[in-house]
Amino acid sequence: MNKMFWRKRNWRTILAGSYIWQPVTDFWAKSTAWPLVGKLTGWIVNKNRYDVTFIPINKELENSGSTVLPKQIVEEMIRRSCHRVIIPICLCRVGCRCHDYPMEIGCIFLGEATKQVNPDIGKSVSVEEALTHLKRSIEAGLIPQIGRVDPDPLMLGIRMKDWNRFLTLCFCCTCCCIAMRNQLSWNSDMRSRMHRLEGLSITVDSSCDSCGKCAEQCFAQAIVMGREGAYITDDCKGCGLCVDICPHNSIKISVTAGEKMLSEAFRRIESYADIT
């Protein structure tokens, strides 16, 4: 029944809700932190239904000389997946009327359950097509975010029993992404399930002049300004945006334990989504 219900949908009917997307999703995020009410509104993003990892990808990291890079995690997940679907738009950017990033760069969904996605809504693609989409997304300055996001299979009409065979690969901007835009509104448990990669180091050197641009851009508010410059707290999600925004190249990102980074990421992601 659920599948048939969504078979009747197309992008025109889904996008009809884009006019209320931002206020509704913002209200929903805030409500998850409210006593009692949060248990009802937050069930779809509880510890068994939401768990994501940010994948920092920027030129400094690419040119650091490391033989192990975060983007290999995403590439390998695409290759391991038995099925891949790309949707032609980003609902978050459409709903927020984004002016800074392409609305037509949508998510990639991975796993056996993606075969249930209505072909009028998402296109089944090859590994090569998915990797090309990944490259285009990175070049546009979007941040890959990969994990279990059960609101997505719910929205797409996937049978609930198959949600554990569905993985979301988002390409996010801080201005529109529901998770990033509402980072401080979610309850603390929800925020803790937005992970920074193991084996990744982000540091600030002495050339920092405390201009504060990095702190202004940090969606997690994980950068504190002090007399001696910026300080990155444990709340950092490792997205790498601060590295790109710093006008003095004072913030450095590097892989300190590449094999650990890959193994831990694969272990966590595959523990809650069987996509092979």
Side-chain angles (χ1 to χ4, degrees):
M1 178 64 71
N2 194 24
K3 180 179 178 181
M4 291 301 297
F5 175 79
W6 276 94
R7 284 289 183 182
K8 298 177 182 178
R9 294 295 191 262
N10 55 38
W11 276 120
R12 180 174 297 178
T13 55
I14 290 177
L15 290 176
S18 66
Y19 297 100
I20 59 172
W21 179 270
Q22 184 170 355
V24 168
T25 55
D26 286 353
F27 177 81
W28 168 54
K30 292 177 182 178
S31 72
T32 64
W34 296 346
L36 300 179
V37 175
K39 292 183 178 181
L40 297 175
T41 59
W43 74 273
I44 193 62
V45 286
N46 66 29
K47 64 181 180 179
N48 298 316
R49 302 194 181 284
Y50 185 89
D51 197 287
V52 298
T53 300
F54 293 100
I55 309 295
I57 299 176
N58 53 47
K59 291 181 180 179
E60 178 174 320
L61 194 55
E62 291 279 335
N63 298 329
S64 64
S66 174
T67 58
V68 180
L69 296 172
K71 76 172 185 178
Q72 292 175 250
I73 296 170
V74 181
E75 292 171 342
E76 182 61 20
M77 282 295 171
I78 288 174
R79 293 189 180 97
R80 291 187 187 187
S81 177
C82 63
H83 195 255
R84 298 148 299 277
V85 168
I86 295 177
I87 60 172
I89 61 170
C90 173
L91 286 173
C92 291
R93 283 192 285 280
V94 170
C96 293
R97 283 58 165 183
C98 188
H99 298 290
D100 299 322
Y101 299 93
M103 294 185 185
E104 68 272 15
I105 298 181
C107 298
I108 300 177
F109 298 124
L110 307 173
E112 177 70 24
T114 62
K115 294 178 180 178
Q116 299 175 34
V117 175
N118 187 338
D120 292 334
I121 294 176
K123 176 186 176 184
S124 297
V125 297
S126 66
V127 170
E128 290 72 22
E129 288 174 306
L131 292 175
T132 298
H133 188 80
L134 169 64
K135 181 180 179 181
R136 180 190 178 197
S137 303
I138 294 170
E139 290 175 347
L142 298 169
I143 303 169
Q145 182 184 156
I146 188 168
R148 180 162 180 170
V149 184
D150 279 2
D152 289 336
L154 173 65
M155 175 189 69
L156 293 169
I158 307 300
R159 291 188 297 263
M160 192 172 184
K161 67 177 183 178
D162 296 324
W163 287 3
N164 64 338
R165 296 190 294 167
F166 187 104
L167 195 68
T168 294
L169 172 54
C170 284
F171 302 103
C172 304
C173 57
T174 58
C175 51
C176 301
C177 170
I178 296 174
M180 300 170 82
R181 189 181 72 247
N182 293 289
Q183 179 69 193
L184 302 181
S185 297
W186 302 109
N187 63 49
S188 58
D189 180 57
M190 170 75 170
R191 293 196 298 272
S192 71
R193 285 180 273 110
M194 300 179 192
H195 301 284
R196 172 177 172 168
L197 279 176
E198 297 280 350
L200 192 74
S201 173
I202 302 179
T203 58
V204 184
D205 65 29
S206 58
S207 65
C208 175
D209 67 353
S210 299
C211 71
K213 290 185 178 180
C214 57
E216 292 174 4
Q217 291 294 318
C218 181
F219 72 90
Q221 291 191 9
I223 302 178
V224 178
M225 304 309 301
R227 292 182 179 179
E228 298 181 357
Y231 172 74
I232 299 175
T233 72
D234 291 338
D235 292 326
C236 172
K237 300 303 180 182
C239 71
L241 278 178
C242 56
V243 179
D244 295 330
I245 201 67
C246 179
H248 305 296
N249 297 317
S250 303
I251 306 178
K252 310 296 181 183
I253 185 170
S254 60
V255 175
T256 57
E259 294 302 326
K260 179 181 180 181
M261 178 188 69
L262 294 181
S263 62
E264 284 297 306
F266 288 139
R267 180 193 62 77
R268 182 168 62 245
I269 292 171
E270 293 181 329
S271 69
Y272 52 71
D274 177 15
I275 63 170
T276 57

